[in-house]
Every structure is written in structure tokens, then in C-alpha cells.
Amino acid sequence: MTSDYTEVFQDTEAVEKYESVTYAPDSYASRINDRQRDYLRALVRREFEGQHPPVQHDFACGTGRAIRTLHGLVREAHGYDTSAEMMAKAAEVGSRAYWHRVSTDGPVPTPVAAGFPAIVTVFRLLLNVPDPVRDRAIAFAAKALPHRGSGLLVVENHGNAGSLRHLRARRHRGERWFAELSHEEVAALLDRHGFEIVERRGFSMLTPSLHGHRVARLADAAARRLPGTDGYAVNVLYTARRVHA
């Protein structure tokens, strides 16, 4: 996480806006969050069936959205963030976890030793930070998941370069707030740290500007049922396993 992130979210008003405006009921972000929740809960039930419930390590946990998603399916959860204010808000809104403040730079943070299996979640981070911070996040995941049998890594890309959102890239070239990542870039990032993508799932073909159009939303719902459309979604989750050191 960058120092900019930490500075922005030291402001309690910014934290409140993130939680109550960005993720307001029926907002673009909250609808995607609901779809992700259904997918992740089904994923954990399927992948850890017959095993001890996993421990969750949520890197860049923010207000605990990914932690709340897995309530009741993990034996314990640990949230890691550079912003104490974000973690305080997470606890306030009912995210149940142990909270760990991490530094913005220096050695890669070490996950709490909580045993296996484990699931590491990294949501809404990759697109917002430079390459060294992306590598820092996935290096953390590699520490938490040292071998293939350790568990799963789930990372979010909320600006897929192969989606409709890419049509805005030329117009916004050079603007700091606009970024995108391709599937190939995400796969290369994970591979550098010994991970292989085993599943990819998309959650919306629409950009936020189209969210309010009923016809567009109906078309989006229909498109998401078609095989092969995940690669063109704006928001994508990648599930990965550790395959090499």
C-alpha cells in the first residue's frame, strides 16, 4: 500500500465515505460485492470440504469487506492494513477479526502463524498501487501459503484491461486515478511469487456509468451466464494455488 493510501485513509471522513457511499446499498460496488460474496462462500465450501475450516489472512483489509464475506466459514480471520482508521471502521461495522497494522515499506509483512489450511484475500488493491506494492502483497501471500496444499489465494482486479472499461483508457491516459491490468499481467505477477491461477470469475460487464441503466443491467445479467464471458468482465477474481518457490 502506498503512503498516499495511508494518508487518505487517516481521515475518518474518507473512511466513512468509502464504507457508506462507495458501498451504499444498490451501488455499483455493493452489487458486485454481493455477487463476489456468493461466489467466495461457495468456493470455500467446495475447496475446503472435509477439512478443518481455513484461517483467513486479508491483506489490505480496509473496512473488512472480504472478512465479512467469509464470516462463519473460517476458524479465525486476520486483517492487515496500513490504516488504523480503516481497521477501526472494519471493527465498528461488524467485521470479526484480529487486526494487524503493517508498514508501508520495508520487509514484507509476516502473516500470523495460525496454521493451515488458509485462504489469503487481496481485494481492491492491485489496481490502486504501483508494481512494487503489488509484489509486496503477493509476497505476503507466498509467506502465508508456502506450498500447494497450504490453501488458496484470491485476488481482485477491478479494472480488467480486456473489458468495456478499456475504451476509456486513451481518453484518461496519464491520469493518476485511471489504471487497468490485463489477465496476463495478473498471471505474471502471481507466477513471480510461485502461484498458478486455477480459476477466474468475472462479476460485471458494465462500467459504473452504465450501472443505472435497467436495459444494460439486464444485458449484463444475461451475458454473465454465457460461457467464456468472464475474460471480458470489468471486475475479476482470480483463485490461485502455490506451485513453486
Side-chain angles (χ1 to χ4, degrees):
M1 289 156 278
T2 66
S3 58
D4 286 351
Y5 168 92
T6 305
E7 290 167 6
V8 167
F9 289 113
Q10 284 179 348
D11 181 352
T12 55
E13 289 186 10
V15 173
E16 182 62 36
K17 180 180 179 181
Y18 180 82
E19 181 63 24
S20 61
V21 177
T22 301
Y23 282 94
D26 202 39
S27 67
Y28 177 81
S30 68
R31 280 181 172 268
I32 289 176
N33 183 62
D34 290 344
R35 295 168 191 165
Q36 289 179 339
R37 181 182 186 277
D38 292 343
Y39 168 74
L40 280 172
R41 292 184 71 83
L43 174 74
V44 168
R45 290 190 180 103
R46 181 185 78 222
E47 294 293 331
F48 296 100
E49 183 180 10
Q51 301 182 57
H52 196 42
V55 60
Q56 181 182 13
H57 298 281
D58 188 27
F59 192 77
C61 63
T63 59
R65 177 170 56 99
I67 288 170
R68 294 195 297 277
T69 287
L70 294 182
H71 276 173
L73 294 181
V74 298
R75 65 182 184 273
E76 63 183 70
H78 295 269
Y80 306 79
D81 206 286
T82 60
S83 169
E85 288 75 16
M86 287 290 256
M87 291 187 289
K89 187 64 178 179
E92 179 187 321
V93 297
S95 305
R96 299 189 297 272
Y98 299 97
W99 308 108
H100 311 278
R101 191 172 184 182
V102 297
S103 63
T104 59
D105 50 26
V108 174
T110 298
V112 171
F116 303 106
I119 180 167
V120 177
T121 45
V122 183
F123 276 46
R124 213 170 178 89
L125 175 72
L126 297 188
L127 205 67
N128 299 332
V129 296
D131 286 337
V133 184
R134 292 173 185 149
D135 278 299
R136 181 177 172 82
I138 307 306
F140 168 89
K143 282 188 171 186
L145 301 168
H147 53 80
R148 187 174 182 84
S150 302
L152 296 175
L153 166 63
V154 182
V155 298
E156 179 184 32
N157 172 11
H158 62 288
N160 171 25
S163 70
L164 183 63
R165 184 177 182 271
H166 179 68
L167 297 177
R168 302 165 60 195
R170 179 174 295 179
R171 183 174 61 185
H172 296 295
R173 183 175 297 163
E175 295 182 14
R176 184 176 179 276
W177 66 269
F178 187 90
E180 56 183 359
L181 285 170
S182 68
H183 300 311
E184 292 75 19
E185 287 173 313
V186 175
L189 168 65
L190 298 181
D191 180 70
R192 283 200 297 275
H193 298 278
F195 288 97
E196 175 186 55
I197 296 171
V198 296
E199 190 166 311
R200 185 178 72 189
R201 182 65 60 91
F203 294 90
S204 179
M205 305 294 169
L206 303 180
T207 60
S209 62
L210 294 172
H211 169 71
H213 296 270
R214 182 174 179 274
V215 173
R217 282 160 63 166
L218 290 173
D220 177 47
R224 283 186 287 110
R225 296 190 185 98
L226 298 175
T229 57
D230 286 339
Y232 304 100
V234 173
N235 183 286
V236 181
L237 290 185
Y238 306 84
T239 299
R241 287 190 182 273
R242 189 78 183 277
V243 291
H244 61 83

